[in-house]
């Protein structure tokens, strides 16, 4: 089973629409972190947000907002008033304890390709 | 100043060749990683090193050999390249080998095996 599921492979919206990218995760750890990264067409991976498992407060940063709900194991990402520059692949990722006792880096979802049409 | 730099950016080679990808970070981080992104954009960890010691080796063929001469460098050597090795390889680093550490990624190396 996937540890991080991004069920939406591709989303296409018209500029200025709001769009929500879904992320569902699976872990047995009580301490874990969730991330969102953006990969624009240029290919680099850009960090957007990190949230730990003990902080369920929603976060807003400009047009971006994140809704973390432990009850449903979800960490969804909403872009308000989308712009063409938001077009990218967005990855949700999980950081949890590795079996060896350290951290195993990030486990990524398969990504959601967001297309914002002018 | 580039925080995590990897070279080359593009690598085109024939099947059976041996090639290396270099990665350097100037962030003073202790932990470095190699990720592979396949043609469907799926990102999967290959290796992680903490202070030059191998921490994670995810079921990667032994044709792939990471080498960390010091904690600022993690190079990836690939022997006997196969068509299926074509992908984008990302180097990354983090401050420590701890849960929740933010990863800083290089810009990727696009490997094409012909």
């Amino acid at each position: 089973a996937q540890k991080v599921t991004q069920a939406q492979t591709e989303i296409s919206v018209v500029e200025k629409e709001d769009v929500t990218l879904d992320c569902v995760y699976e872990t047995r750890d009580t301490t874990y972190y969730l991330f969102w990264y953006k990969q624009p067409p240029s290919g680099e991976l850009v960090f957007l947000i990190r949230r730990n498992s003990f902080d369920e407060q929603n976060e807003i940063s400009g047009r971006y907002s994140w809704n973390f709900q432990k009850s449903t194991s979800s960490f969804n990402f909403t872009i308000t008033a989308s712009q063409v520059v938001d077009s990218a692949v967005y990855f949700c990722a999980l950081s949890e304890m590795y079996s060896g006792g350290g951290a195993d880096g990030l486990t990524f979802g398969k990504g959601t390709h967001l297309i914002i049409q002018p | 100043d580039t925080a995590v730099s990897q070279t080359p950016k593009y690598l085109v080679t024939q099947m059976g060749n041996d090639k290396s990808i270099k990665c350097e970070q100037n962030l003073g981080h202790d932990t470095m990683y190699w990720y592979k992104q396949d043609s469907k954009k799926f990102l999967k960890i290959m290796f992680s090193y903490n202070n030059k010691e191998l921490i994670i080796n995810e079921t990667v063929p032994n044709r792939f050999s990471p080498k960390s001469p010091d904690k600022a460098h993690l190079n990836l050597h690939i022997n006997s390249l196969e068509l299926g090795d074509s992908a984008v390889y990302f180097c990354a680093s983090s401050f420590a080998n701890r849960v929740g550490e933010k990863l800083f990624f290089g810009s990727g190396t696009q490997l094409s095996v012909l």
Side-chain angles (χ1 to χ4, degrees):
Chain A
Q2 288 181 43
K3 289 200 167 189
V4 180
T5 302
Q6 294 181 255
Q8 303 148 310
T9 305
E10 183 174 292
I11 300 175
S12 181
V13 300
V14 177
E15 202 172 19
K16 296 184 184 173
E17 285 186 22
D18 299 346
V19 59
T20 295
L21 310 182
D22 297 334
C23 174
V24 173
Y25 62 93
E26 178 185 327
T27 180
R28 295 181 187 174
D29 289 351
T30 53
T31 302
Y32 56 89
Y33 287 74
L34 295 161
F35 293 75
W36 278 94
Y37 278 81
K38 173 182 179 180
Q39 187 174 38
S42 51
E44 72 272 23
L45 286 157
V46 179
F47 167 82
L48 294 178
I49 189 171
R50 171 179 53 192
R51 173 68 73 211
N52 76 55
S53 52
F54 299 106
D55 183 0
E56 284 194 75
Q57 279 196 339
N58 291 333
E59 179 147 344
I60 298 174
S61 176
R63 297 183 296 107
Y64 295 172
S65 61
W66 290 268
N67 182 0
F68 176 29
Q69 292 197 343
K70 287 176 76 169
S71 60
T72 55
S73 296
S74 65
F75 187 43
N76 296 337
F77 172 30
T78 297
I79 301 176
T80 304
S82 60
Q83 299 176 3
V84 172
V85 292
D86 295 327
S87 297
V89 180
Y90 289 86
F91 292 96
C92 181
L94 168 70
S95 174
E96 57 182 347
M97 191 66 70
Y98 186 61
S99 58
D104 62 349
L106 297 177
T107 300
F108 285 87
K110 293 191 174 182
T112 296
H113 185 196
L114 178 63
I115 300 167
I116 310 296
Q117 299 180 22
Chain B
D1 288 341
T2 304
V4 181
S5 60
Q6 52 183 111
T7 56
K9 188 165 176 61
Y10 300 98
L11 186 51
V12 181
T13 188
Q14 300 287 332
M15 260 190 348
N17 284 349
D18 302 338
K19 290 293 178 186
S20 292
I21 306 172
K22 294 186 176 182
C23 180
E24 175 182 4
Q25 54 92 6
N26 62 5
L27 297 166
H29 288 169
D30 283 347
T31 306
M32 295 185 72
Y33 311 80
W34 278 107
Y35 278 80
K36 179 180 179 180
Q37 186 173 42
D38 63 23
S39 58
K40 295 184 178 179
K41 298 285 189 180
F42 184 47
L43 274 159
K44 187 170 167 57
I45 191 168
M46 300 172 68
F47 302 101
S48 77
Y49 270 71
N50 182 247
N51 276 320
K52 302 193 298 174
E53 284 191 34
L54 179 65
I55 301 297
I56 293 171
N57 181 348
E58 292 288 315
T59 56
V60 175
N62 56 16
R63 298 182 295 104
F64 289 79
S65 53
K67 288 201 171 37
S68 182
D70 55 62
K71 69 176 191 178
H73 295 84
L74 180 62
N75 303 322
L76 183 64
H77 188 75
I78 316 170
N79 289 329
S80 303
L81 277 155
E82 300 177 358
L83 291 176
D85 297 332
S86 295
V88 180
Y89 292 84
F90 284 96
C91 177
S93 70
S94 65
F95 184 69
N97 180 29
R98 282 192 302 249
V99 174
E101 286 293 325
K102 174 183 166 185
L103 267 60
F104 293 76
F105 285 87
S107 55
T109 295
Q110 186 165 333
L111 172 64
S112 300
V113 182
L114 307 177

